[in-house]
């Protein structure tokens, strides 16, 4: 009976470690997703064309076509998309004058299509 309790405790400890690992992974994915959404918001505010956004997305999907070993595919796609968006030329241009800047939405993470 004592041996059974020890085995149960070990199983629970392993399960707890797996849950903690998953929590950390999800936290990293959430951070990366927020970065991507913020970049998309900035590009939307700069009136980037749908065609340009489509090219960025297609480029990302093409480069992530076959997952790299040892890397979570979802995180790889988000990371690549974030890099593609961050490299967009519009983000590195001089900002518009104050009177010319587009109106932003009340929720900065809402993106209109």
């Amino acid at each position: 009976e004592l041996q059974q309790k020890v085995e149960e405790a070990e199983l629970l400890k392993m399960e707890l470690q797996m849950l903690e690992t998953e929590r950390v992974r999800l936290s990293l994915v959430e951070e990366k997703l927020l970065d991507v959404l913020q970049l998309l918001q900035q590009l939307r505010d700069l009136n980037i064309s749908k065609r340009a956004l489509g090219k960025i997305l297609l480029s990302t999907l093409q480069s992530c076509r076959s997952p790299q070993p040892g890397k979570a595919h979802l995180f790889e796609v988000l990371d690549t998309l974030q890099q593609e968006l961050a490299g967009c030329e519009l983000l590195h241009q001089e900002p518009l004058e104050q009177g010319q800047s587009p109106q932003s939405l009340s929720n900065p993470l809402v993106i209109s299509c």
Side-chain angles (χ1 to χ4, degrees), residues 2-112:
L2 183 59
Q3 181 65 24
Q4 185 179 1
K5 294 288 184 187
V6 168
E7 289 173 5
E8 286 176 14
E10 286 298 319
L11 286 174
L12 288 173
K13 194 183 294 185
M14 285 177 27
E15 189 174 330
L16 185 61
Q17 280 181 324
M18 288 175 22
L19 288 172
E20 181 63 21
T21 301
E22 185 66 12
R23 186 192 66 77
V24 169
R25 186 187 73 79
L26 288 174
S27 178
L28 292 172
V29 168
E30 180 182 26
E31 287 176 26
K32 188 60 71 173
L33 186 57
L34 283 175
D35 290 344
V36 166
L37 289 173
Q38 287 172 345
L39 287 167
L40 285 170
Q41 177 69 39
Q42 289 174 7
L43 289 171
R44 186 190 62 93
D45 289 345
L46 294 171
N47 291 326
I48 189 171
S49 71
K50 291 177 184 178
R51 178 175 289 238
L53 276 176
K55 286 181 180 180
I56 291 170
L57 182 58
L58 289 175
S59 172
T60 298
L61 294 175
Q62 182 66 32
S63 65
C64 297
R65 183 173 247 169
S66 55
Q68 296 176 0
K71 215 177 180 188
H73 189 63
L74 174 64
F75 191 78
E76 178 187 355
V77 171
L78 283 174
D79 190 44
T80 304
L81 181 57
Q82 189 257 339
Q83 291 171 13
E84 292 273 344
L85 291 170
C88 185
E89 293 175 8
L90 278 176
L91 289 175
H92 304 292
Q93 292 179 354
E94 292 296 318
L96 298 172
E97 291 180 22
Q98 232 178 359
Q100 296 177 332
S101 64
Q103 294 282 344
S104 63
L105 298 176
S106 58
N107 183 350
L109 296 180
V110 174
I111 299 170
S112 61

